[in-house]
PDB file of all heavy atoms in Angstrom:
ATOM      1  N   LYS A   1     -28.399 -16.885  24.475  1.00 98.00           N
ATOM      2  CA  LYS A   1     -28.229 -15.447  24.262  1.00 98.00           C
ATOM      3  C   LYS A   1     -29.185 -14.653  25.154  1.00 98.00           C
ATOM      4  O   LYS A   1     -28.807 -13.635  25.730  1.00 98.00           O
ATOM      5  CB  LYS A   1     -28.446 -15.087  22.790  1.00 98.00           C
ATOM      6  CG  LYS A   1     -27.215 -15.310  21.917  1.00 98.00           C
ATOM      7  CD  LYS A   1     -27.407 -14.762  20.529  1.00 98.00           C
ATOM      8  CE  LYS A   1     -27.656 -13.273  20.492  1.00 98.00           C
ATOM      9  NZ  LYS A   1     -26.503 -12.480  20.968  1.00 98.00           N
ATOM     10  N   ILE A   2     -30.419 -15.122  25.274  1.00 98.00           N
ATOM     11  CA  ILE A   2     -31.379 -14.449  26.143  1.00 98.00           C
ATOM     12  C   ILE A   2     -30.930 -14.546  27.600  1.00 98.00           C
ATOM     13  O   ILE A   2     -30.920 -13.553  28.345  1.00 98.00           O
ATOM     14  CB  ILE A   2     -32.779 -15.068  25.977  1.00 98.00           C
ATOM     15  CG1 ILE A   2     -33.344 -14.749  24.585  1.00 98.00           C
ATOM     16  CG2 ILE A   2     -33.730 -14.564  27.065  1.00 98.00           C
ATOM     17  CD1 ILE A   2     -34.599 -15.516  24.241  1.00 98.00           C
ATOM     18  N   LEU A   3     -30.538 -15.758  28.020  1.00 98.00           N
ATOM     19  CA  LEU A   3     -30.132 -15.984  29.408  1.00 98.00           C
ATOM     20  C   LEU A   3     -28.961 -15.084  29.802  1.00 98.00           C
ATOM     21  O   LEU A   3     -29.045 -14.323  30.777  1.00 98.00           O
ATOM     22  CB  LEU A   3     -29.744 -17.452  29.599  1.00 98.00           C
ATOM     23  CG  LEU A   3     -29.145 -17.816  30.965  1.00 98.00           C
ATOM     24  CD1 LEU A   3     -30.191 -17.678  32.057  1.00 98.00           C
ATOM     25  CD2 LEU A   3     -28.572 -19.237  30.931  1.00 98.00           C
ATOM     26  N   TYR A   4     -27.860 -15.180  29.059  1.00 98.00           N
ATOM     27  CA  TYR A   4     -26.671 -14.407  29.430  1.00 98.00           C
ATOM     28  C   TYR A   4     -26.852 -12.914  29.151  1.00 98.00           C
ATOM     29  O   TYR A   4     -26.254 -12.073  29.820  1.00 98.00           O
ATOM     30  CB  TYR A   4     -25.436 -14.973  28.725  1.00 98.00           C
ATOM     31  CG  TYR A   4     -24.979 -16.275  29.336  1.00 98.00           C
ATOM     32  CD1 TYR A   4     -25.185 -17.488  28.680  1.00 98.00           C
ATOM     33  CD2 TYR A   4     -24.365 -16.300  30.572  1.00 98.00           C
ATOM     34  CE1 TYR A   4     -24.778 -18.696  29.251  1.00 98.00           C
ATOM     35  CE2 TYR A   4     -23.946 -17.490  31.153  1.00 98.00           C
ATOM     36  CZ  TYR A   4     -24.168 -18.685  30.498  1.00 98.00           C
ATOM     37  OH  TYR A   4     -23.765 -19.869  31.075  1.00 98.00           O
ATOM     38  N   GLY A   5     -27.694 -12.600  28.192  1.00 98.00           N
ATOM     39  CA  GLY A   5     -27.969 -11.197  27.888  1.00 98.00           C
ATOM     40  C   GLY A   5     -28.662 -10.468  29.021  1.00 98.00           C
ATOM     41  O   GLY A   5     -28.572  -9.235  29.120  1.00 98.00           O
ATOM     42  N   THR A   6     -29.368 -11.196  29.888  1.00 97.00           N
ATOM     43  CA  THR A   6     -30.051 -10.538  31.014  1.00 97.00           C
ATOM     44  C   THR A   6     -29.069  -9.858  31.954  1.00 97.00           C
ATOM     45  O   THR A   6     -29.447  -8.959  32.708  1.00 97.00           O
ATOM     46  CB  THR A   6     -30.887 -11.553  31.825  1.00 97.00           C
ATOM     47  OG1 THR A   6     -30.016 -12.579  32.346  1.00 97.00           O
ATOM     48  CG2 THR A   6     -31.971 -12.188  30.964  1.00 97.00           C
ATOM     49  N   LYS A   7     -27.817 -10.274  31.910  1.00 97.00           N
ATOM     50  CA  LYS A   7     -26.797  -9.656  32.762  1.00 97.00           C
ATOM     51  C   LYS A   7     -25.673  -9.035  31.936  1.00 97.00           C
ATOM     52  O   LYS A   7     -24.566  -8.825  32.419  1.00 97.00           O
ATOM     53  CB  LYS A   7     -26.232 -10.675  33.744  1.00 97.00           C
ATOM     54  CG  LYS A   7     -27.265 -11.206  34.735  1.00 97.00           C
ATOM     55  CD  LYS A   7     -26.637 -12.164  35.740  1.00 97.00           C
ATOM     56  CE  LYS A   7     -27.671 -12.713  36.722  1.00 97.00           C
ATOM     57  NZ  LYS A   7     -27.062 -13.645  37.712  1.00 97.00           N
ATOM     58  N   GLY A   8     -25.983  -8.755  30.670  1.00 97.00           N
ATOM     59  CA  GLY A   8     -25.032  -8.018  29.831  1.00 97.00           C
ATOM     60  C   GLY A   8     -23.825  -8.801  29.383  1.00 97.00           C
ATOM     61  O   GLY A   8     -22.777  -8.207  29.080  1.00 97.00           O
ATOM     62  N   ILE A   9     -23.952 -10.129  29.298  1.00 98.00           N
ATOM     63  CA  ILE A   9     -22.824 -10.952  28.874  1.00 98.00           C
ATOM     64  C   ILE A   9     -23.054 -11.453  27.462  1.00 98.00           C
ATOM     65  O   ILE A   9     -24.098 -12.021  27.142  1.00 98.00           O
ATOM     66  CB  ILE A   9     -22.617 -12.136  29.841  1.00 98.00           C
ATOM     67  CG1 ILE A   9     -22.153 -11.597  31.195  1.00 98.00           C
ATOM     68  CG2 ILE A   9     -21.612 -13.138  29.279  1.00 98.00           C
ATOM     69  CD1 ILE A   9     -21.903 -12.656  32.243  1.00 98.00           C
ATOM     70  N   ASN A  10     -22.060 -11.231  26.598  1.00 98.00           N
ATOM     71  CA  ASN A  10     -22.130 -11.635  25.198  1.00 98.00           C
ATOM     72  C   ASN A  10     -21.675 -13.085  25.046  1.00 98.00           C
ATOM     73  O   ASN A  10     -20.721 -13.521  25.694  1.00 98.00           O
ATOM     74  CB  ASN A  10     -21.231 -10.720  24.354  1.00 98.00           C
ATOM     75  CG  ASN A  10     -21.282 -11.073  22.883  1.00 98.00           C
ATOM     76  OD1 ASN A  10     -22.354 -11.157  22.294  1.00 98.00           O
ATOM     77  ND2 ASN A  10     -20.124 -11.289  22.280  1.00 98.00           N
ATOM     78  N   VAL A  11     -22.357 -13.827  24.187  1.00 98.00           N
ATOM     79  CA  VAL A  11     -22.017 -15.222  23.925  1.00 98.00           C
ATOM     80  C   VAL A  11     -21.166 -15.322  22.661  1.00 98.00           C
ATOM     81  O   VAL A  11     -21.576 -14.879  21.584  1.00 98.00           O
ATOM     82  CB  VAL A  11     -23.290 -16.081  23.760  1.00 98.00           C
ATOM     83  CG1 VAL A  11     -22.935 -17.502  23.314  1.00 98.00           C
ATOM     84  CG2 VAL A  11     -24.072 -16.118  25.070  1.00 98.00           C
ATOM     85  N   ILE A  12     -19.981 -15.896  22.808  1.00 98.00           N
ATOM     86  CA  ILE A  12     -19.117 -16.234  21.679  1.00 98.00           C
ATOM     87  C   ILE A  12     -19.328 -17.719  21.384  1.00 98.00           C
ATOM     88  O   ILE A  12     -19.303 -18.551  22.295  1.00 98.00           O
ATOM     89  CB  ILE A  12     -17.635 -15.959  22.015  1.00 98.00           C
ATOM     90  CG1 ILE A  12     -17.403 -14.449  22.183  1.00 98.00           C
ATOM     91  CG2 ILE A  12     -16.711 -16.523  20.935  1.00 98.00           C
ATOM     92  CD1 ILE A  12     -16.010 -14.098  22.679  1.00 98.00           C
ATOM     93  N   GLY A  13     -19.566 -18.064  20.130  1.00 98.00           N
ATOM     94  CA  GLY A  13     -19.823 -19.454  19.757  1.00 98.00           C
ATOM     95  C   GLY A  13     -18.543 -20.200  19.439  1.00 98.00           C
ATOM     96  O   GLY A  13     -17.808 -19.817  18.516  1.00 98.00           O
ATOM     97  N   VAL A  14     -18.264 -21.261  20.179  1.00 98.00           N
ATOM     98  CA  VAL A  14     -17.048 -22.057  19.984  1.00 98.00           C
ATOM     99  C   VAL A  14     -17.351 -23.215  19.035  1.00 98.00           C
ATOM    100  O   VAL A  14     -18.217 -24.052  19.319  1.00 98.00           O
ATOM    101  CB  VAL A  14     -16.509 -22.571  21.328  1.00 98.00           C
ATOM    102  CG1 VAL A  14     -15.304 -23.482  21.110  1.00 98.00           C
ATOM    103  CG2 VAL A  14     -16.130 -21.404  22.230  1.00 98.00           C
ATOM    104  N   THR A  15     -16.635 -23.278  17.928  1.00 98.00           N
ATOM    105  CA  THR A  15     -16.937 -24.235  16.855  1.00 98.00           C
ATOM    106  C   THR A  15     -15.970 -25.406  16.760  1.00 98.00           C
ATOM    107  O   THR A  15     -16.078 -26.220  15.858  1.00 98.00           O
ATOM    108  CB  THR A  15     -16.961 -23.505  15.501  1.00 98.00           C
ATOM    109  OG1 THR A  15     -15.677 -22.864  15.297  1.00 98.00           O
ATOM    110  CG2 THR A  15     -18.057 -22.466  15.457  1.00 98.00           C
ATOM    111  N   LYS A  16     -15.020 -25.528  17.698  1.00 97.00           N
ATOM    112  CA  LYS A  16     -14.012 -26.590  17.549  1.00 97.00           C
ATOM    113  C   LYS A  16     -14.611 -27.986  17.634  1.00 97.00           C
ATOM    114  O   LYS A  16     -14.163 -28.902  16.951  1.00 97.00           O
ATOM    115  CB  LYS A  16     -12.899 -26.421  18.576  1.00 97.00           C
ATOM    116  CG  LYS A  16     -13.311 -26.626  20.027  1.00 97.00           C
ATOM    117  CD  LYS A  16     -12.113 -26.464  20.952  1.00 97.00           C
ATOM    118  CE  LYS A  16     -12.514 -26.712  22.402  1.00 97.00           C
ATOM    119  NZ  LYS A  16     -11.364 -26.555  23.316  1.00 97.00           N
ATOM    120  N   VAL A  17     -15.658 -28.167  18.464  1.00 98.00           N
ATOM    121  CA  VAL A  17     -16.228 -29.506  18.630  1.00 98.00           C
ATOM    122  C   VAL A  17     -16.905 -29.985  17.354  1.00 98.00           C
ATOM    123  O   VAL A  17     -17.056 -31.197  17.142  1.00 98.00           O
ATOM    124  CB  VAL A  17     -17.220 -29.521  19.816  1.00 98.00           C
ATOM    125  CG1 VAL A  17     -18.529 -28.844  19.468  1.00 98.00           C
ATOM    126  CG2 VAL A  17     -17.475 -30.951  20.297  1.00 98.00           C
ATOM    127  N   ILE A  18     -17.313 -29.061  16.481  1.00 98.00           N
ATOM    128  CA  ILE A  18     -17.945 -29.435  15.211  1.00 98.00           C
ATOM    129  C   ILE A  18     -16.980 -29.254  14.038  1.00 98.00           C
ATOM    130  O   ILE A  18     -17.394 -29.235  12.884  1.00 98.00           O
ATOM    131  CB  ILE A  18     -19.229 -28.620  14.976  1.00 98.00           C
ATOM    132  CG1 ILE A  18     -18.961 -27.122  15.126  1.00 98.00           C
ATOM    133  CG2 ILE A  18     -20.324 -29.060  15.931  1.00 98.00           C
ATOM    134  CD1 ILE A  18     -19.772 -26.220  14.284  1.00 98.00           C
ATOM    135  N   GLY A  19     -15.691 -29.138  14.353  1.00 97.00           N
ATOM    136  CA  GLY A  19     -14.671 -29.053  13.308  1.00 97.00           C
ATOM    137  C   GLY A  19     -14.861 -27.884  12.361  1.00 97.00           C
ATOM    138  O   GLY A  19     -14.500 -27.958  11.193  1.00 97.00           O
ATOM    139  N   GLY A  20     -15.435 -26.779  12.873  1.00 98.00           N
ATOM    140  CA  GLY A  20     -15.664 -25.622  12.009  1.00 98.00           C
ATOM    141  C   GLY A  20     -16.661 -25.893  10.901  1.00 98.00           C
ATOM    142  O   GLY A  20     -16.577 -25.296   9.823  1.00 98.00           O
ATOM    143  N   ASP A  21     -17.620 -26.772  11.134  1.00 97.00           N
ATOM    144  CA  ASP A  21     -18.608 -27.123  10.109  1.00 97.00           C
ATOM    145  C   ASP A  21     -19.379 -25.875   9.669  1.00 97.00           C
ATOM    146  O   ASP A  21     -20.055 -25.239  10.481  1.00 97.00           O
ATOM    147  CB  ASP A  21     -19.583 -28.147  10.668  1.00 97.00           C
ATOM    148  CG  ASP A  21     -20.610 -28.597   9.645  1.00 97.00           C
ATOM    149  OD1 ASP A  21     -21.661 -27.950   9.544  1.00 97.00           O
ATOM    150  OD2 ASP A  21     -20.343 -29.591   8.949  1.00 97.00           O
ATOM    151  N   PRO A  22     -19.296 -25.496   8.382  1.00 98.00           N
ATOM    152  CA  PRO A  22     -19.913 -24.243   7.946  1.00 98.00           C
ATOM    153  C   PRO A  22     -21.423 -24.188   8.121  1.00 98.00           C
ATOM    154  O   PRO A  22     -21.966 -23.134   8.463  1.00 98.00           O
ATOM    155  CB  PRO A  22     -19.531 -24.157   6.457  1.00 98.00           C
ATOM    156  CG  PRO A  22     -18.293 -24.969   6.334  1.00 98.00           C
ATOM    157  CD  PRO A  22     -18.475 -26.099   7.301  1.00 98.00           C
ATOM    158  N   MET A  23     -22.113 -25.304   7.889  1.00 97.00           N
ATOM    159  CA  MET A  23     -23.572 -25.268   7.999  1.00 97.00           C
ATOM    160  C   MET A  23     -24.016 -25.019   9.440  1.00 97.00           C
ATOM    161  O   MET A  23     -24.937 -24.245   9.701  1.00 97.00           O
ATOM    162  CB  MET A  23     -24.176 -26.561   7.463  1.00 97.00           C
ATOM    163  CG  MET A  23     -25.684 -26.474   7.257  1.00 97.00           C
ATOM    164  SD  MET A  23     -26.376 -27.997   6.582  1.00 97.00           S
ATOM    165  CE  MET A  23     -25.581 -28.037   4.977  1.00 97.00           C
ATOM    166  N   ILE A  24     -23.344 -25.672  10.383  1.00 98.00           N
ATOM    167  CA  ILE A  24     -23.690 -25.463  11.787  1.00 98.00           C
ATOM    168  C   ILE A  24     -23.258 -24.073  12.232  1.00 98.00           C
ATOM    169  O   ILE A  24     -23.984 -23.396  12.976  1.00 98.00           O
ATOM    170  CB  ILE A  24     -23.060 -26.557  12.669  1.00 98.00           C
ATOM    171  CG1 ILE A  24     -23.520 -27.942  12.211  1.00 98.00           C
ATOM    172  CG2 ILE A  24     -23.428 -26.339  14.130  1.00 98.00           C
ATOM    173  CD1 ILE A  24     -22.850 -29.094  12.943  1.00 98.00           C
ATOM    174  N   ALA A  25     -22.093 -23.632  11.776  1.00 98.00           N
ATOM    175  CA  ALA A  25     -21.646 -22.283  12.101  1.00 98.00           C
ATOM    176  C   ALA A  25     -22.640 -21.242  11.602  1.00 98.00           C
ATOM    177  O   ALA A  25     -22.908 -20.232  12.273  1.00 98.00           O
ATOM    178  CB  ALA A  25     -20.268 -22.028  11.489  1.00 98.00           C
ATOM    179  N   ASP A  26     -23.215 -21.488  10.445  1.00 97.00           N
ATOM    180  CA  ASP A  26     -24.199 -20.562   9.890  1.00 97.00           C
ATOM    181  C   ASP A  26     -25.453 -20.494  10.761  1.00 97.00           C
ATOM    182  O   ASP A  26     -26.067 -19.442  10.899  1.00 97.00           O
ATOM    183  CB  ASP A  26     -24.562 -20.989   8.469  1.00 97.00           C
ATOM    184  CG  ASP A  26     -25.168 -19.862   7.660  1.00 97.00           C
ATOM    185  OD1 ASP A  26     -24.676 -18.722   7.769  1.00 97.00           O
ATOM    186  OD2 ASP A  26     -26.142 -20.108   6.935  1.00 97.00           O
ATOM    187  N   VAL A  27     -25.827 -21.631  11.359  1.00 98.00           N
ATOM    188  CA  VAL A  27     -26.959 -21.643  12.294  1.00 98.00           C
ATOM    189  C   VAL A  27     -26.664 -20.711  13.469  1.00 98.00           C
ATOM    190  O   VAL A  27     -27.531 -19.937  13.904  1.00 98.00           O
ATOM    191  CB  VAL A  27     -27.240 -23.075  12.796  1.00 98.00           C
ATOM    192  CG1 VAL A  27     -28.276 -23.059  13.914  1.00 98.00           C
ATOM    193  CG2 VAL A  27     -27.720 -23.952  11.655  1.00 98.00           C
TER     194      VAL A  27
END
């Protein structure tokens, strides 16, 4: 978030690799 934020780019978190695991998504 810090890295991409330096150039105004928002990070969307892709959860498919973790099967939509709620605990990891919450992190």
Side-chain angles (χ1 to χ4, degrees):
K1 277 188 61 65
I2 292 170
L3 173 67
Y4 286 106
T6 60
K7 296 183 181 180
I9 292 180
N10 181 53
V11 173
I12 293 173
V14 176
T15 58
K16 67 179 182 180
V17 75
I18 52 148
D21 182 271
M23 193 179 295
I24 302 175
D26 200 41
V27 172

